[in-house]
């Protein structure tokens, strides 16, 4: 009796070769754009102490409260698969004394993140982010540069998005605003959903995240943070807008934009797409000036963003996706053992010259090999039969116009070199 089939876990998926072209195009563009803005890559572990996220992201958030993959390792430590990378980057920055270097540390990363979220379209439990963090400055021009870089990535890929910005205040003005908000929420309590009633007393800002229609009406009656900023935050926010205007960047101020992580202060932003349905955020980011101290480090002002690569691939224009497609330059079709060995030899020579070669190991007929060459869209086919072997001249066929001619091995090599 055969065993039952093992499948992947819900919310996890295989990214198959036919899906991957778009991913590689995005990664290539991101690498290029990060380089021109002066970012260097950092790779942090996928598993971290649970406390890093509990403290960094905040115990009252959905991510920490409901969505983390947390378990005990063999030494009975509580460990967590990272739900995001900002906390890890800040931990690495402090631990490796990067704050002692000169100037702003500009770090970028990419990789899988894990959140045990409700299954929904455009929400996966393992998803991928590409992100950037700049640590060591509170200058509003840095906020604008960070936004410009994220937008530049989307624009270079031909992806349309809308930029939403807000200021969520600082440790001085936000507590005052939150007690004001709490009082206002008491008036609305009976009209709110169960989750929001709980949030009203624990993490009041989260009420703004609720997508339930009944709550939306009440949310409209609540005071907004932008009307309650201290003078410094107000000035900072207005300077960020000036720098964005100077860079010709169009934005919308959304005073109810709060982000799902507690570390944000001042600038918060998202880039959303009309083509994504209810999970419309492609990019999320903002300033997190107090996070280093929360993690036991020195005061460090910082800002960053992360783009959701899974979502980005969903809105990537087809022509962009196709530029990442892999196609063989040359398919080597052979008949018989000696021809097969010759094909291996020729492929080896050409690959050293960076020519993409493909040969079929299933030992099919010449006809079936030609069919396969067509199917995988090979640009040329080289036919190696007994006759060709003896003469040392091979037939090459250009698939686009079906023209064919004979070549010696040196002629073949110089053809692909050019
Ligand atoms: P976030 O808003 O939680 O921010 O995530 C950033 C982006 O990751 C989202 O806009 C979305 O595109 C994608 N994303 C999030 N969850 C999922 C999911 N379950 N499935 C698919 N895509 C998802 C952060 O993670 C912050 N660390 C960003 C940041 C960096 N802030 C400052 N620096």
């Amino acid at each position: 009796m055969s065993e039952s089939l093992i499948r992947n876990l819900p919310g996890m998926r295989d990214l198959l070769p036919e899906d991957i072209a778009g991913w590689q195009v995005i990664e290539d563009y991101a690498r290029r754009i990060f380089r021109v803005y002066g970012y260097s890559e950092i790779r942090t572990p996928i598993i971290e102490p649970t406390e890093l996220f509990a403290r960094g992201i905040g115990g009252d958030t959905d991510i920490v409260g409901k969505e983390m993959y947390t378990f005990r390792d063999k030494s009975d430590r509580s460990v967590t698969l990272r739900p995001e990378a900002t906390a890890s980057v800040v931990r690495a920055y402090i631990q490796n004394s990067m704050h002692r270097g000169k100037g702003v540390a500009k770090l970028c990363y990419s990789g899988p993140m894990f959140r045990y979220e409700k299954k929904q379209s455009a929400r996966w439990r393992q998803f991928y982010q590409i992100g950037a963090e700049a640590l060591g400055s509170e200058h509003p021009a840095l906020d604008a540069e960070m936004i410009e870089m994220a937008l530049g990535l989307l624009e270079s890929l031909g992806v349309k998005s809308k930029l939403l910005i807000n200021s969520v205040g600082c440790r001085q003005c936000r507590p005052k605003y939150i007690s004001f908000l709490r009082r206002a929420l008491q008036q609305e309590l009976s009209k709110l959903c169960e989750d929001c009633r709980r949030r009203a007393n624990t993490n009041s800002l989260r009420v703004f995240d609720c997508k339930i229609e009944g709550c939306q009406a009440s949310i409209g009656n609540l005071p907004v943070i932008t009307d309650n900023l201290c003078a410094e935050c107000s000035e900072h926010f207005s300077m960020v807008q000036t720098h964005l205007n100077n860079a010709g960047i169009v934005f919308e101020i959304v005073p109810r934009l709060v982000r799902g992580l507690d570390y944000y202060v001042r600038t918060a932003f998202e880039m959303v797409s009309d083509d994504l349905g209810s999970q419309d955020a492609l990019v999320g980011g903002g300033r997190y000036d107090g996070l280093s101290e929360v993690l036991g480090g020195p005061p460090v002002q910082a800002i960053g963003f992360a783009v959701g690569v899974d979502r980005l691939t969903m809105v990537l224009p087809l022509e962009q996706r196709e530029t990442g497609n892999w196609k063989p330059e040359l398919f080597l079709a052979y008949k018989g053992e000696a021809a097969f060995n010759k094909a291996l030899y020729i492929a080896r020579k050409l690959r050293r010259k960076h020519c993409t070669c493909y040969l079929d190991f299933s030992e099919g007929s010449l006809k079936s090999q030609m069919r396969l060459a067509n199917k995988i869209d090979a640009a040329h086919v080289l036919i190696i039969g007994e006759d060709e072997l003896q003469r040392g001249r091979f037939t090459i066929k250009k698939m686009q116009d079906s023209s064919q001619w004979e070549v010696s091995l040196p002629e073949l090599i110089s053809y692909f070199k050019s």
Side-chain angles (χ1 to χ4, degrees):
M1 212 174 67
S2 67
E3 299 284 348
S4 60
L5 182 69
I6 299 172
R7 296 188 165 276
N8 56 359
L9 294 166
M12 310 274 177
R13 60 186 176 145
D14 302 311
L15 298 169
L16 301 176
E18 57 265 35
D19 305 323
I20 226 74
W23 290 70
Q24 290 182 342
V25 171
I26 293 168
E27 286 158 7
D28 284 350
Y29 273 86
R31 215 166 283 133
R32 253 181 272 167
I33 207 146
F34 286 148
R35 194 171 308 138
V36 297
Y37 280 87
Y39 282 72
S40 308
E41 189 182 347
I42 183 165
R43 297 187 189 188
T44 58
I46 285 174
I47 302 184
E48 294 271 15
T50 302
E51 204 186 345
L52 173 67
F53 305 114
R55 262 206 260 161
I57 299 172
D60 286 332
T61 59
D62 279 355
I63 296 180
V64 174
K66 303 186 197 162
E67 297 169 358
M68 293 209 301
Y69 280 87
T70 297
F71 53 96
R72 297 216 156 256
D73 71 7
K74 290 187 195 303
S75 304
D76 205 31
R77 286 183 204 98
S78 179
V79 296
T80 294
L81 295 183
R82 65 179 182 196
E84 60 109 46
T86 309
S88 300
V89 171
V90 176
R91 179 202 48 68
Y93 173 85
I94 304 166
Q95 194 176 328
N96 295 288
S97 303
M98 292 163 86
H99 54 285
R100 300 219 180 96
K102 287 194 187 83
V104 173
K106 289 181 153 185
L107 305 167
C108 59
Y109 53 85
S110 73
M113 311 292 156
F114 302 84
R115 296 182 192 175
Y116 197 87
E117 302 200 65
K118 281 198 199 103
K119 268 187 73 192
Q120 238 176 322
S121 104
R123 262 195 201 283
W124 287 272
R125 289 181 179 166
Q126 176 175 335
F127 60 97
Y128 292 77
Q129 286 185 344
I130 292 178
E133 315 290 348
L135 303 105
S137 169
E138 63 173 342
H139 203 297
L142 184 62
D143 303 39
E145 186 189 89
M146 187 62 77
I147 290 172
E148 178 186 291
M149 184 167 72
L151 266 183
L153 173 61
L154 301 191
E155 280 167 10
S156 61
L157 290 163
V159 170
K160 291 196 181 70
S161 69
K162 199 158 62 179
L163 168 63
L164 314 177
I165 63 165
N166 193 20
S167 173
V168 294
C170 66
R171 305 222 179 310
Q172 270 69 49
C173 53
R174 199 163 42 199
K176 273 188 227 148
Y177 163 69
I178 286 180
S179 52
F180 186 32
L181 176 65
R182 265 193 195 149
R183 259 177 280 136
L185 275 167
Q186 296 311 312
Q187 312 292 315
E188 305 289 325
L189 222 49
S190 59
K191 295 175 240 161
L192 297 176
C193 72
E194 201 185 316
D195 265 351
C196 282
R197 278 207 293 274
R198 182 178 42 79
R199 289 175 187 137
N201 295 313
T202 55
N203 199 345
S204 322
L205 279 177
R206 288 276 81 72
V207 171
F208 290 118
D209 273 344
C210 187
K211 299 274 188 298
I212 293 175
E213 237 173 76
C215 296
Q216 284 295 323
S218 296
I219 289 170
N221 300 329
L222 298 172
V224 290
I225 179 86
T226 20
D227 294 336
N228 293 276
L229 295 175
C230 62
E232 288 81 5
C233 286
S234 198
E235 169 68 11
H236 191 271
F237 193 36
S238 119
M239 285 310 293
V240 172
Q241 292 170 53
T242 304
H243 286 292
L244 287 175
N245 284 325
N246 290 347
I249 292 171
V250 179
F251 57 87
E252 187 185 327
I253 300 175
V254 179
R256 292 187 174 81
L257 176 76
V258 289
R259 309 254 310 113
L261 306 102
D262 277 356
Y263 49 60
Y264 290 113
V265 293
R266 296 191 166 171
T267 313
F269 62 91
E270 285 188 356
M271 284 153 207
V272 296
S273 162
D274 287 340
D275 301 326
L276 270 177
S278 67
Q279 298 305 316
D280 61 356
L282 285 170
V283 173
R287 192 160 264 294
Y288 49 92
D289 294 345
L291 179 57
S292 169
E293 285 160 281
V294 169
L295 300 180
V300 178
Q301 289 111 356
I303 180 158
F305 77 85
V307 48
V309 187
D310 307 71
R311 291 186 191 171
L312 194 48
T313 59
M314 293 166 73
V315 293
L316 194 65
L318 193 64
E319 61 275 14
Q320 281 290 6
R321 212 168 306 168
E322 282 182 347
T323 58
N325 270 337
W326 172 92
K327 283 180 193 158
E329 248 341 279
L330 183 68
F331 186 105
L332 297 106
Y334 57 89
K335 187 162 183 265
E337 173 114 20
F340 174 62
N341 285 327
K342 190 72 179 177
L344 287 175
Y345 173 78
I346 296 175
R348 199 176 303 126
K349 282 235 164 237
L350 286 172
R351 283 171 180 153
R352 283 197 199 127
K353 306 277 175 214
H354 307 290
C355 171
T356 316
C357 296
Y358 188 98
L359 71 155
D360 179 29
F361 287 82
S362 62
E363 297 177 278
S365 66
L366 266 181
K367 210 166 157 192
S368 72
Q369 292 180 64
M370 291 303 283
R371 266 202 304 272
L372 181 60
N374 247 324
K375 205 166 148 191
I376 64 174
D377 221 0
H380 302 85
V381 177
L382 188 76
I383 298 161
I384 314 171
E386 278 156 25
D387 179 44
E388 282 85 356
L389 262 186
Q390 264 173 14
R391 289 192 297 118
R393 292 187 71 77
F394 310 95
T395 305
I396 180 166
K397 183 172 176 184
K398 195 171 185 180
M399 301 301 267
Q400 196 183 22
D401 56 11
S402 292
S403 59
Q404 57 181 60
W405 65 99
E406 280 199 345
V407 282
S408 65
L409 186 51
E411 283 164 355
L412 183 71
I413 291 172
S414 77
Y415 177 75
F416 283 107
K417 229 166 44 190
S418 58

